[in-house]
């Protein structure tokens, strides 16, 4: 019995929705794909679960980490954790069965988690920009309760956005709009971080003309903020490199470009890799989170 005889509705509106269809490939190609998928996604699933669970527990347990930026990072970690819990097992199940409904559920879940990551990374960038522009007023305006509301809004918006996309009968238009939105969000992040860098440079020039006593503390503050902004920018770069090919694949599919199943496997693998890389970025670049995690898990939960 060939498990790859997937039943796909013959509807032109479904075109472009399932990016990787398993019909039309040789048995050898598919068997190699299965073996590679089990190895790679088994490892990525484990690292995503362990790494992101540790990040979420650390931020939740340590009240000193309940800042606006860390709450947003926790939301990003939850999205990455959901990838390990749902998306990667679905991917393996789809490779095994070739069932259209499983592939559809995989695409829906991947789209929701990608959207959440995009919007959360954007919120982190805006948060850094507001911290620079608002100065003293920042903590009174960007409160934890407002950030929690924002995180809830991001998740609801992502679900609604993807529900509208998948329920739409205008497949071609919906695919193009979704790709344009993703590209605009990613480009918007670049613009925000570029402006942050300009503002930091401006502050550094101002500090050089201050008194030496105030100079040292100001330089330390600017350096600390610059490092925090750089950490977030690195997360943005990883999200960009891992998720942008997904939009490119949609456009290629819409234009009728055919590729091997390994190409689409690489796209899903990149999305999964992003969920495993983010926790290591948190620990590697953020000394406060790294120290809190070491203290928490060395002493036990």
């Amino acid at each position: 019995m060939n498990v790859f005889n997937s039943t796909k509705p013959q509807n032109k509106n479904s075109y472009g929705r399932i990016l990787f269809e398993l019909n039309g490939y040789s048995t050898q190609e598919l068997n190699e794909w299965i073996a590679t998928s089990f190895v790679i996604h088994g490892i990525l699933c484990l690292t995503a679960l362990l790494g992101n669970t540790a990040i979420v527990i650390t931020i939740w347990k340590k009240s000193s980490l309940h800042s606006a930026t860390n709450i947003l990072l926790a939301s990003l970690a939850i999205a990455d954790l959901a990838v390990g819990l749902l998306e990667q097992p679905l991917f393996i199940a789809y490779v095994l069965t070739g069932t259209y409904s499983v592939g559809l559920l995989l695409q829906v879940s991947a789209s929701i988690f990608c959207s959440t990551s995009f919007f959360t990374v954007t919120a982190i960038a805006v948060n850094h920009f507001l911290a620079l522009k608002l100065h003293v007023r920042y903590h009174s305006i960007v409160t934890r309760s407002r950030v929690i509301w924002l995180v809830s809004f991001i998740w609801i918006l992502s679900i609604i956005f993807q529900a509208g996309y998948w329920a739409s009968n205008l497949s071609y238009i919906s695919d193009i709009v979704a790709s344009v939105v993703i590209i605009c969000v990613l480009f918007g992040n670049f613009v925000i971080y570029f402006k942050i860098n300009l503002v930091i440079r401006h502050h550094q020039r101002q500090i050089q003309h201050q008194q030496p006593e105030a100079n040292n503390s100001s330089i330390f503050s600017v350096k600390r903020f610059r490092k925090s902004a750089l950490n977030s920018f690195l997360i943005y770069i990883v999200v960009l490199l891992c998720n942008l090919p997904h939009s490119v694949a949609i456009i290629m599919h819409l234009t009728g470009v055919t590729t091997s199943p390994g190409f689409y496997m690489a796209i899903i693998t990149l999305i999964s890799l992003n969920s495993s890389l983010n926790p290591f970025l948190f620990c590697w670049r953020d000394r406060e989170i790294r120290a809190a995690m070491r203290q928490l898990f060395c002493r036990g939960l």
Side-chain angles (χ1 to χ4, degrees), residues 109-130:
S109 62
S111 299
I112 290 175
F113 302 144
C114 283
S115 299
T116 304
S117 296
F118 289 149
F119 294 138
T120 302
V121 168
T122 303
I124 292 172
V126 173
N127 174 64
H128 282 299
F129 185 72
L130 289 177

Side-chain angles (χ1 to χ4, degrees), residues 34 54 56 64 68 72 85 121 174 184-185 211 228 234 249 256 258 260 274 279-280 284 294 298 300:
I34 289 176
V56 172
S64 60
L72 291 170
L85 282 173
V121 168
S174 299
C184 288
V185 169
Q211 296 296 324
S228 177
L234 289 176
T258 57
S260 67
N274 183 27
F280 292 102
W284 173 51
R294 187 185 300 115
C298 285

Side-chain angles (χ1 to χ4, degrees), residues 177-203:
V177 169
S179 299
V180 170
V181 168
I182 292 172
I183 293 172
C184 288
V185 169
L186 292 173
F187 179 74
N189 274 271
F190 177 81
V191 172
I192 293 172
Y193 281 112
F194 180 75
K195 288 186 175 182
I196 288 175
N197 185 60
L198 292 179
V199 174
I200 290 176
R201 288 179 177 271
H202 176 69
H203 285 333

Side-chain angles (χ1 to χ4, degrees), residues 1-215:
M1 182 178 67
N2 186 359
V3 297
F4 298 107
N5 290 328
S6 59
T7 56
K8 176 179 178 295
Q10 299 300 317
N11 184 343
K12 66 178 182 179
N13 290 332
S14 65
Y15 179 73
R17 299 309 174 93
I18 303 300
L19 291 181
F20 42 93
E21 294 164 16
L22 300 177
N23 291 323
Y25 300 108
S26 67
T27 303
Q28 182 180 356
E29 283 182 310
L30 294 172
N31 287 337
E32 291 174 355
W33 197 25
I34 289 176
T36 308
S37 298
F38 268 110
V39 174
I40 294 178
H41 285 267
I43 295 173
L44 292 179
C45 181
L46 183 62
T47 54
L49 289 174
L50 294 177
N52 289 290
T53 299
I55 292 294
V56 172
I57 292 176
T58 300
I59 294 177
W60 176 52
K61 287 276 190 178
K62 291 290 184 179
S63 58
S64 60
L65 295 178
H66 293 178
S67 63
T69 300
N70 286 337
I71 291 174
L72 291 170
L73 289 178
S75 175
L76 184 62
I78 291 173
D80 291 333
L81 178 61
V83 170
L85 282 173
L86 182 61
E87 182 183 324
Q88 290 170 348
L90 281 174
F91 178 76
I92 294 174
Y94 179 63
V95 171
L96 279 175
T97 64
T99 307
Y100 178 80
S101 58
V102 176
L104 182 62
L105 184 57
L106 168 63
Q107 282 291 94
V108 172
S109 62
S111 299
I112 290 175
F113 302 144
C114 283
S115 299
T116 304
S117 296
F118 289 149
F119 294 138
T120 302
V121 168
T122 303
I124 292 172
V126 173
N127 174 64
H128 282 299
F129 185 72
L130 289 177
L132 273 178
K133 299 296 288 185
L134 296 176
H135 297 294
V136 180
R137 295 183 297 150
Y138 170 77
H139 291 291
S140 62
I141 295 176
V142 184
T143 62
R144 284 184 294 182
S145 60
R146 288 176 179 173
V147 174
I148 292 173
W149 277 107
L150 175 62
V151 166
S152 302
F153 175 76
I154 287 174
W155 278 90
I156 294 172
L157 177 65
S158 299
I159 294 172
I160 293 176
F161 178 75
Q162 294 302 329
Y165 167 70
W166 290 97
S168 173
N169 290 323
L170 304 174
S171 176
Y172 294 98
I173 297 176
S174 299
D175 287 331
I176 293 172
V177 169
S179 299
V180 170
V181 168
I182 292 172
I183 293 172
C184 288
V185 169
L186 292 173
F187 179 74
N189 274 271
F190 177 81
V191 172
I192 293 172
Y193 281 112
F194 180 75
K195 288 186 175 182
I196 288 175
N197 185 60
L198 292 179
V199 174
I200 290 176
R201 288 179 177 271
H202 176 69
H203 285 333
Q204 287 177 328
R205 287 194 297 267
Q206 286 184 324
I207 290 171
Q208 291 175 355
H209 297 88
Q210 292 179 354
Q211 296 296 324
E213 295 78 10
N215 212 359

